[in-house]
């Protein structure tokens, strides 16, 4: 049975998942990497679409709409006396060197690029990334210098985007392995309570497949851009319930007289 057949079986059959506890660890590891790959699909699609449009939109806004400015000693300064906001191509561009607007004031549900007093903030599909201007060190950056930097990013974007997605995939894979490692302990606990014969390494295997339904569900919700309240708690709950049902399918320990 290949990993895609296992993926299908893991959606509906705790009994089949229980049988996977005897397979080699290599096959389980490949399955975990597959789950991680599936889980980043919505983020990857949004990231590629956002980055492709954002750089062009940002260049146009900086060139034609933003006033002359300088970023020096970790701070943005210009002759602008009040914050300014522009809407372009479903994206909000904010410029504020007064310090009036803070990162926490930004709407996290809107695609936004914000030049704040001390930070540069990018918001995409509710994901917020903030960078301090102090990263430039002692180098002063002007409006013209920023336009040159944006041009360089546009020229390199089809190199930078795959690199960023690969880093995201490695991080997601690591977090998936960590989650399964922790839930495998819960599987052993269930086995002890239910008097099932289950070692930790076997619990690790079945836990990986028990995470399938939750992974597919939240991936679909992200693709549909549907926000789920208390998503982490629901994720843990679903994995725990399926893991319990899988452990119940394992034969009870034989009692020796």
């Amino acid at each position: 049975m290949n990993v895609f057949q296992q993926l299908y079986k893991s959606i509906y059959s705790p009994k089949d998942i229980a049988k996977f506890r005897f397979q080699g660890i290599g096959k389980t590891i490949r399955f975990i990497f597959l789950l991680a790959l599936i889980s980043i699909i919505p983020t990857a699609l949004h990231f590629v679409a956002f980055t492709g449009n954002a750089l062009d939109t940002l260049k146009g806004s900086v060139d034609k709409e933003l006033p002359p400015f300088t970023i020096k000693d970790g701070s943005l300064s210009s002759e602008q006396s009040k914050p300014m906001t522009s809407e372009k191509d479903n994206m909000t561009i904010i410029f504020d060197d007064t310090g009036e607007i803070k990162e926490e004031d930004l709407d996290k549900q809107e695609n936004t690029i914000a030049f704040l007093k001390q930070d540069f903030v990018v918001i995409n599909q509710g994901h917020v990334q903030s960078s301090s201007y102090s990263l430039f060190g002692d180098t002063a950056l002007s409006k013209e210098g920023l336009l040159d930097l944006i041009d360089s990013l546009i020229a390199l974007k089809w190199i930078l985007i795959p690199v960023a997605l690969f880093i995201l995939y490695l991080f997601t894979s690591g977090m998936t392995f960590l989650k399964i490692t922790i839930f495998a302990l819960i599987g052993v606990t269930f086995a002890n309570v239910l008097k099932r014969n289950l070692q930790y390494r076997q619990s690790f295997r079945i836990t990986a497949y028990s995470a399938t339904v939750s992974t597919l569900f939240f991936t679909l919700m992200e693709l549909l851009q549907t926000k789920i309240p208390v998503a982490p708690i629901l994720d843990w709950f679903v994995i725990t319930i399926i893991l319990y049902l899988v452990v119940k399918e394992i034969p009870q320990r034989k009692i020796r007289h």
Side-chain angles (χ1 to χ4, degrees):
M1 189 181 297
N2 61 42
V3 290
F4 295 105
Q5 291 173 319
Q6 290 183 318
L7 181 72
Y8 175 68
K9 292 283 188 180
S10 299
I11 295 174
Y12 68 91
S13 178
K15 187 173 183 178
D16 282 299
I17 295 177
K19 296 176 182 178
F20 297 156
R21 70 189 186 278
F22 296 119
Q23 71 178 17
I25 188 62
K27 198 167 187 178
T28 304
I29 290 174
R30 288 196 297 272
F31 187 83
I32 295 173
F33 278 119
L34 175 62
L35 287 183
L37 181 61
I38 291 172
S39 69
I40 69 167
I41 288 176
T43 302
L45 292 176
H46 293 316
F47 178 76
V48 171
F50 175 79
T51 304
N53 296 326
L55 289 174
D56 294 327
T57 302
L58 178 61
K59 179 182 176 181
S61 295
V62 171
D63 186 26
K64 299 178 180 179
E65 299 180 24
L66 299 191
F69 62 84
T70 302
I71 298 174
K72 187 176 181 181
D73 298 327
S75 182
L76 174 68
S77 60
S78 75
E79 296 183 357
Q80 186 76 14
S81 60
K82 60 181 180 180
M84 59 178 295
T85 301
S86 67
E87 301 282 345
K88 190 174 182 180
D89 297 333
N90 296 318
M91 185 178 301
T92 302
I93 308 292
I94 296 174
F95 183 91
D96 175 31
D97 66 330
T98 67
E100 180 179 329
I101 299 177
K102 306 297 182 183
E103 181 180 333
E104 54 268 24
D105 298 328
L106 301 177
D107 186 346
K108 295 183 180 180
Q109 303 308 315
E110 292 186 0
N111 290 334
T112 303
I113 295 177
F115 296 87
L116 304 183
K117 181 65 177 177
Q118 307 291 336
D119 302 285
F120 176 70
V121 182
V122 177
I123 301 176
N124 173 229
Q125 299 294 328
H127 301 287
V128 181
Q129 292 193 355
S130 175
S131 299
S132 172
Y133 297 133
S134 60
L135 293 174
F136 292 111
D138 297 329
T139 304
L141 183 68
S142 65
K143 177 177 177 176
E144 291 71 24
L146 179 59
L147 286 171
D148 290 339
L149 177 60
I150 295 173
D151 282 333
S152 298
L153 292 175
I154 291 174
L156 295 172
K157 68 180 179 180
W158 297 119
I159 296 175
L160 298 175
I161 288 176
V163 170
L165 292 179
F166 181 69
I167 293 173
L168 172 65
Y169 177 55
L170 289 181
F171 175 78
T172 304
S173 297
M175 295 304 295
T176 304
F177 271 97
L178 178 61
K179 181 168 70 172
I180 290 171
T181 299
I182 295 172
F183 273 91
L185 295 172
I186 298 177
V188 172
T189 302
F190 284 154
N192 289 333
V193 172
L194 298 172
K195 296 181 173 56
R196 262 54 175 186
N197 188 20
L198 183 71
Q199 300 176 353
Y200 178 81
R201 64 177 182 271
Q202 295 174 331
S203 181
F204 182 87
R205 291 172 171 85
I206 64 173
T207 301
Y209 295 95
S210 298
T212 300
V213 171
S214 178
T215 300
L216 294 179
F217 173 76
F218 284 104
T219 299
L220 178 60
M221 291 299 100
E222 284 197 48
L223 284 172
L224 297 175
Q225 299 184 23
T226 302
K227 299 296 181 182
I228 305 296
V230 295
I233 296 176
L234 180 60
D235 178 31
W236 302 337
F237 177 77
V238 172
I239 295 175
T240 301
I241 293 299
I242 294 178
L243 184 58
Y244 175 80
L245 295 175
V246 172
V247 172
K248 282 189 66 177
E249 294 293 336
I250 298 172
Q252 287 189 320
R253 298 168 184 165
K254 295 182 180 179
I255 300 176
R256 296 181 180 179
H257 296 283

